[in-house]
Amino acid sequence: MSGGGAGQQGGRRDSGSFEREPARRIFASELRECRYQFREGDDEKSPTFVLLPTGERCNRVFVVGTLTEKQRQGDQNIFYRGRVVDPTGTFFVMAGSYQPEAMQQLARIETPAFVAVIGKPSLYQTPDGAYLVSVRVESITIVDKETRELWILDAAKATLDRLDAAAGGASPDAVKAKEQYATLDPAVFRKMTYDALAQVKI
Amino acid sequence: MDFSETAERISRKMVQKGQDASAIDRKKIETKLKRLVEEFGVQPSEAERSVTNELAKELNIPVAGTGGSAGGTGAREEKPVAAMAPGDWVTFEGKVVSLLSPPSPAIAQSGIIADTTGAIRFVVWAKANAPKMSEGGWYRIESAVVDEFKGIPNLKVHSGTTIKPVLEDRALSPAVIRVSDLKPGIGSVRAKVLQEWEPSHDRMLQSGVLGDESGTIKFVIWKEAGKEKLEVGSVYTIWYASVDEFNGRLSLNLSTATAMKEDGDIAVSGGDVEARGVFVHIAPGSGLIKRCPVEGCNRALSRQNYCPVHEIQPKFVYDLRIKGWLDDGKRTYNTLLQRDAVEALTGITLDAAIQIAENNPLGMDEVFLQMRDKVLGRYVLCRGREIDNRLLARSCEWMKMENGEHAALLNRAGGAA
């Protein structure tokens, strides 16, 4: 898939059938660096992607980490914010009234806890110009420590696969990533991956 | 250049279609041909075709599809079914192997007609006033038109076509091909019925999957008099099934077919997959469900114990299943776990699930929630068969850490830095 380029990753919508966007495995430090968001096609329902610095589009993420904080916000429109920590950094997650199921799940979980989060990343810019990537939760469940460790391995493998594919091939997404993230050195992400793996004790 | 010969040919064709010879102005045809060829540089064969079509339209005669070759030149020629292509005018002798109830009042008869070389779908327009053909009968069909409907060749019997019964009964058996060799149109296979699905429509008698050594294909049988369900696990020789294409996938419509049950077994080929990943979504309809108790039905009932076919069924049968999306980070599998796999993975047996449902204010929803919380976001390894983009898991287990993998990844991350 990594070599398959945009056509394959964008799903098989061109032939009329629906293919669900896969949930990417990505570390917090990489997701935090995302600055480029785009849309495939002009259709109302066409998906929005953030472009990962390692050169792949991403419409959905699967992350496992520790829910360290959660906060209820809003009066009329209640929503929950949370922080999920992985070995490399923090994911900002949120669930609002458009994700009632996810919000109920998040409301019930007591911090701290290992959680598995499936959600959609989106990119915001604050008034002072800083970028913020948050994950709109589709579902969040409590998991065990082993799942967290399996995820670190899984995310490490996915990150290395992306780095290798971007270094070797020239898929349209990898090329675009090199343009958009010209100042980011891929070696940083390799180092990040190594550090994350080193935290897993077997 | 002289166009009188071509004009003559065109007018003859119209007469053949039942037009009065006096109604056709040969001079006008000639002028049109001349204009197209000399003024507009059109190829003579193309000019003949377009004038023929124009005239046929004027005179209300069905015409060949636009994709065809020079229309009409083959009208007298005998053509075997296998050689028919869209745009051809054909004359042949064939056997009506299947009749369907016409989908519209504009159509008098529709079905499948075959000769020793192959089979083709046909339609008899109501306007054609053709004699009724009967299933199993042999007919000589003169000057019918082959065109294309939804990408599949289709024979049209119109008012210019003559149909004569052939009285002798000839033997005819179609060539049986492999499932993987099926193409849109008509096909005959020998295959085993692997699965039966819940009908998704009132008019559907049965749907499921069948396969042979070469592959598997979805099939459907619509409710019609005389149609019977196929038995799961049995082998059938199926003659003249309609092969349809939708979204690039083929399916077999057996409403046109004759299915003969056979002894013996077929080793159905692979489709076996192993998926490692995470359940990222558990769909409604998972957990504890109620099934229709009517023999051979087994459909899932609604909350009100309502079966789409057999209505209210208070004496339902409980079952367990999980429907969801299994995601390995690169692609997602629409996955279905049957009872055994659900019990093994969640540790909740059917009896335990019934207990939970009966002793909890949320009832069956509680089973769904408990199962969701156990399964969602956890790494599993599912083995099963992938059919029609759906993974039917035979077995599922939790994934465990593997020491070697960790070391290998560390090397990979550190080694190349």
Side-chain angles (χ1 to χ4, degrees), chain B residues 249-318:
Chain B
R249 256 174 273 143
L250 297 181
S251 68
L252 275 187
N253 180 346
L254 301 192
S255 299
T256 60
T258 319
M260 289 147 289
K261 195 168 162 184
E262 280 190 15
D263 294 331
D265 200 0
I266 309 183
V268 176
S269 96
D272 267 16
V273 284
E274 195 180 275
R276 291 159 193 271
V278 171
F279 274 105
V280 293
H281 179 69
I282 305 296
S286 300
L288 186 63
I289 58 161
K290 298 168 179 171
R291 291 197 182 273
C292 178
V294 174
E295 177 101 5
C297 175
N298 215 30
R299 286 176 183 80
L301 302 180
S302 75
R303 275 179 186 273
Q304 290 75 33
N305 301 336
Y306 189 87
C307 168
V309 176
H310 303 103
E311 311 203 336
I312 301 286
Q313 294 290 335
K315 291 200 176 117
F316 50 80
V317 185
Y318 275 121

Side-chain angles (χ1 to χ4, degrees), chain A residues 22-33:
Chain A
R24 304 290 181 205
R25 277 61 156 162
I26 178 170
F27 286 117
S29 309
E30 184 183 352
L31 191 66
R32 193 182 58 200
E33 298 296 335

Side-chain angles (χ1 to χ4, degrees), chain A residues 12 20 22-25 62 101 105 139 141 146-147 150-151 153-154 160-161 164 190 194 197 200 202, chain B residues 247 278 280 325 327-330 332 372 376-379 389 399 401 403 406 409-410 412-414:
Chain A
R12 285 192 297 164
R20 187 182 161 103
R24 304 290 181 205
R25 277 61 156 162
F62 171 62
E101 208 184 319
Q105 286 174 309
S139 89
T141 42
E146 183 163 23
T147 303
L150 282 166
W151 178 80
L153 264 58
D154 194 15
L160 293 172
D161 285 351
D164 290 352
R190 206 169 275 277
Y194 184 87
L197 283 168
V200 178
I202 295 202
Chain B
N247 277 348
V278 171
V280 293
W325 289 95
D327 185 313
D328 67 4
K330 305 218 153 62
T332 42
R372 184 194 68 185
L376 207 60
R378 307 269 295 270
Y379 283 89
N389 276 357
M399 270 168 66
M401 288 286 274
N403 291 354
H406 183 233
L409 284 168
L410 271 172
R412 224 181 122 188

Side-chain angles (χ1 to χ4, degrees), chain B residues 7 15 47 61 138 200 228 244 260 302 316 324 334 352 361-362 400:
Chain B
V15 173
I61 301 170
W138 279 84
S200 53
E228 281 175 23
D244 294 309
M260 289 147 289
S302 75
F316 50 80
N334 187 351
L362 287 177
K400 297 267 173 257

Side-chain angles (χ1 to χ4, degrees), chain A residues 107-121:
Chain A
R108 270 210 310 270
I109 298 174
E110 298 286 334
T111 55
F114 288 126
V115 291
V117 177
I118 294 119
K120 302 227 170 199

Side-chain angles (χ1 to χ4, degrees), chain B residues 83-376:
Chain B
M84 291 178 187
D88 287 351
W89 292 69
V90 294
T91 293
F92 72 109
E93 288 179 8
K95 180 183 181 179
V96 175
V97 293
S98 173
L99 279 177
L100 289 170
S101 42
S104 137
I107 292 171
Q109 281 191 305
S110 70
I112 294 173
I113 189 160
D115 67 6
T116 50
T117 66
I120 189 167
R121 301 184 195 194
F122 73 87
V123 163
V124 181
W125 297 113
K127 280 195 300 191
N129 279 327
K132 283 266 181 216
M133 294 189 280
S134 54
E135 195 165 323
W138 279 84
Y139 296 90
R140 179 176 175 82
I141 295 180
E142 292 175 358
S143 297
V145 174
V146 183
D147 74 357
E148 229 176 53
F149 182 63
K150 291 183 183 162
I152 295 167
N154 201 319
L155 187 80
K156 298 282 155 71
V157 172
H158 49 80
S159 56
T161 308
T162 40
I163 298 178
K164 291 177 198 143
V166 175
L167 292 175
E168 61 176 309
D169 188 29
R170 304 170 195 171
L172 180 69
S173 63
V176 170
I177 59 172
R178 305 194 315 160
V179 167
S180 62
D181 293 338
L182 287 169
K183 288 189 185 63
I186 306 294
S188 302
V189 293
R190 180 172 177 269
K192 180 176 175 177
V193 180
L194 302 171
Q195 269 181 358
E196 174 176 38
W197 296 335
E198 291 159 25
S200 53
H201 194 284
D202 276 354
R203 283 188 50 234
M204 199 181 270
L205 179 68
Q206 191 182 27
S207 71
V209 174
L210 52 80
D212 67 5
E213 298 85 347
S214 70
T216 56
I217 189 167
K218 190 184 141 184
F219 75 89
V220 57
I221 306 175
W222 297 97
K223 279 185 191 158
E224 247 174 83
K227 284 290 164 200
E228 281 175 23
K229 284 189 178 187
L230 303 184
E231 224 173 80
V232 175
S234 296
V235 173
Y236 291 85
T237 292
I238 296 162
W239 282 2
Y240 305 119
S242 304
V243 190
D244 294 309
E245 188 178 357
F246 182 66
N247 277 348
R249 256 174 273 143
L250 297 181
S251 68
L252 275 187
N253 180 346
L254 301 192
S255 299
T256 60
T258 319
M260 289 147 289
K261 195 168 162 184
E262 280 190 15
D263 294 331
D265 200 0
I266 309 183
V268 176
S269 96
D272 267 16
V273 284
E274 195 180 275
R276 291 159 193 271
V278 171
F279 274 105
V280 293
H281 179 69
I282 305 296
S286 300
L288 186 63
I289 58 161
K290 298 168 179 171
R291 291 197 182 273
C292 178
V294 174
E295 177 101 5
C297 175
N298 215 30
R299 286 176 183 80
L301 302 180
S302 75
R303 275 179 186 273
Q304 290 75 33
N305 301 336
Y306 189 87
C307 168
V309 176
H310 303 103
E311 311 203 336
I312 301 286
Q313 294 290 335
K315 291 200 176 117
F316 50 80
V317 185
Y318 275 121
D319 196 7
L320 293 176
R321 73 172 176 195
I322 288 180
K323 300 197 293 184
W325 289 95
L326 183 68
D327 185 313
D328 67 4
K330 305 218 153 62
R331 69 168 281 210
T332 42
Y333 298 84
N334 187 351
T335 306
L336 179 66
L337 308 190
Q338 307 277 17
R339 179 181 157 190
D340 291 349
V342 174
E343 289 182 335
L345 201 61
T346 61
I348 301 176
T349 61
L350 180 59
D351 289 340
I354 296 171
Q355 286 295 317
I356 294 168
E358 282 174 356
N359 299 323
N360 197 287
L362 287 177
M364 287 163 55
D365 286 350
E366 179 64 21
V367 179
F368 173 85
L369 293 172
Q370 285 194 17
M371 288 193 172
R372 184 194 68 185
D373 288 348
K374 275 183 199 289
V375 172
L376 207 60

Side-chain angles (χ1 to χ4, degrees), chain A residues 6-167:
Chain A
Q8 210 176 352
Q9 290 167 19
R12 285 192 297 164
R13 283 187 184 73
D14 38 335
S15 67
S17 65
F18 167 77
E19 196 163 285
R20 187 182 161 103
E21 292 296 335
R24 304 290 181 205
R25 277 61 156 162
I26 178 170
F27 286 117
S29 309
E30 184 183 352
L31 191 66
R32 193 182 58 200
E33 298 296 335
C34 290
R35 293 288 175 274
Y36 182 69
Q37 187 167 249
F38 65 101
R39 218 164 171 200
E40 188 86 320
D42 303 323
D43 197 71
E44 194 186 332
K45 294 225 171 98
S46 43
T48 305
F49 297 92
V50 298
L51 183 65
L52 305 182
T54 47
E56 204 169 63
R57 64 183 58 198
C58 169
N59 166 263
R60 179 176 277 126
V61 293
F62 171 62
V63 301
V64 180
T66 313
L67 182 73
T68 55
E69 262 179 48
K70 65 166 184 181
Q71 207 177 359
R72 186 182 140 149
Q73 287 187 330
D75 288 327
Q76 297 278 284
N77 290 310
I78 300 169
F79 68 101
Y80 275 83
R81 274 185 204 289
R83 293 169 71 93
V84 175
V85 177
D86 82 351
T88 70
T90 305
F91 295 100
F92 301 97
V93 303
M94 54 166 289
S97 47
Y98 287 111
Q99 302 90 34
E101 208 184 319
M103 196 167 78
Q104 285 164 24
Q105 286 174 309
L106 185 52
R108 270 210 310 270
I109 298 174
E110 298 286 334
T111 55
F114 288 126
V115 291
V117 177
I118 294 119
K120 302 227 170 199
S122 44
L123 188 60
Y124 301 98
Q125 200 168 13
T126 57
D128 57 357
Y131 284 93
L132 184 71
V133 185
S134 87
V135 176
R136 195 153 35 78
V137 180
E138 289 179 317
S139 89
I140 178 167
T141 42
I142 295 183
V143 294
D144 53 8
K145 188 155 184 281
E146 183 163 23
T147 303
R148 184 186 97 114
E149 287 171 355
L150 282 166
W151 178 80
I152 294 172
L153 264 58
D154 194 15
K157 182 170 180 299
T159 308
L160 293 172
D161 285 351
R162 286 195 297 268
L163 285 167
D164 290 352

